[in-house]
Amino acid sequence: MNSSSFIKNPEMYSLFDYASQWYMNCNHVMSTYKFETLNGQLSFPLLFEVLKKAHLISYSSNEIEALLYNLWGENFDKFNGLVANLLFDFGYLGTFIVTALYVYLVWILRPVRNRLSFSKLLVLGGLFLLPAMGIFNSQMKTIAYNALIIYSAIVYMYMVIRVDKRKVSSP
C-alpha cells in the first residue's frame, strides 16, 4: 500500500489498485502504437479459427501472444483495457467505427415506452459485458465472447422474425 494514499484501508486500496491497473497500462500500450493494425485478430478470433479450419488462411492462436509481447513488452498479458485492444486491432478510424457501431446497437436496443423485450435483453446482456469487463482486458479476444454475440444475434433475429410472422398471421 502506498503510504501517501488517502485510502488507509488496505482492502479498499487493493480493490481500487486492482480495478485501475488498466488505465496506466492502456496509456503505456497506446503510446507505442505505430499505425500497424492486427486486422481483427484480437477482436474476432472465432472468425480467424473458422477461416483456418476451412484452410483459407494460415493462423495460429498461439502466435498472437508472441506478437503482443513484441508490441507491448511486459504489458502483453496485463489489464490493458478495451480501447488499447481496439486501437491495435483496427487503428484510430476502426476504433471510432467499432465504438459508433456499439453505441448505435445499444441505442437501437434501448427500452421503448419503458419496456424491454426478452430478445433485446438477451442481446444487451452480451453487449454490456464488453464495457463491464473492459477494464480487465477485452472480452472480444475470447472465442466464447465471439460465439455469444453470434448466437445472441441469431436468437434475436429468430425471435423478431417469429413475432413479425405472428403479427401478419393474426386477424
Side-chain angles (χ1 to χ4, degrees):
M1 194 166 119
N2 190 339
S3 61
S4 65
S5 172
F6 67 91
I7 300 174
K8 300 302 178 196
N9 181 319
E11 290 82 16
M12 190 63 76
Y13 181 86
S14 294
L15 178 69
F16 279 102
D17 181 51
Y18 186 74
S20 65
Q21 289 178 20
W22 70 274
Y23 182 74
M24 287 182 58
N25 293 345
C26 186
N27 284 333
H28 176 73
V29 164
M30 289 192 324
S31 71
T32 66
Y33 180 65
K34 294 182 174 66
F35 296 94
E36 295 174 18
T37 64
L38 299 174
N39 301 316
Q41 291 183 64
L42 291 176
S43 299
F44 302 113
L46 182 61
L47 174 65
F48 281 83
E49 287 295 330
V50 168
L51 292 174
K52 178 179 89 173
K53 296 284 186 203
H55 301 290
L56 297 174
I57 62 169
S58 174
Y59 171 75
S60 172
S61 57
N62 297 331
E63 291 176 9
I64 196 71
E65 279 194 27
L67 182 61
L68 288 177
Y69 182 78
N70 287 335
L71 290 171
W72 298 347
E74 65 183 35
N75 284 333
F76 85 100
D77 62 346
K78 304 278 191 284
F79 298 161
N80 296 316
L82 175 62
V83 177
N85 284 286
L86 289 174
L87 176 64
F88 275 83
D89 224 3
F90 304 115
Y92 289 109
L93 181 60
T95 300
F96 178 78
I97 291 170
V98 168
T99 304
L101 178 64
Y102 179 86
V103 169
Y104 179 71
L105 284 173
V106 170
W107 184 78
I108 292 247
L109 297 169
R110 76 190 184 284
V112 176
R113 289 183 229 114
N114 291 328
R115 298 192 127 183
L116 192 60
S117 67
F118 177 75
S119 56
K120 286 183 178 182
L121 191 59
L122 180 71
V123 176
L124 284 172
L127 288 176
F128 285 165
L129 277 176
L130 198 55
M133 301 301 289
I135 63 170
F136 302 111
N137 221 328
S138 177
Q139 290 298 311
M140 293 175 72
K141 286 175 26 177
T142 65
I143 290 177
Y145 183 78
N146 281 202
L148 169 71
I149 295 300
I150 291 169
Y151 288 138
S152 62
I154 291 169
V155 170
Y156 176 77
M157 287 186 287
Y158 171 77
M159 292 176 86
V160 167
I161 290 169
R162 193 181 84 193
V163 168
D164 286 346
K165 283 184 181 179
R166 278 190 196 164
K167 288 179 183 176
V168 170
S169 64
S170 64

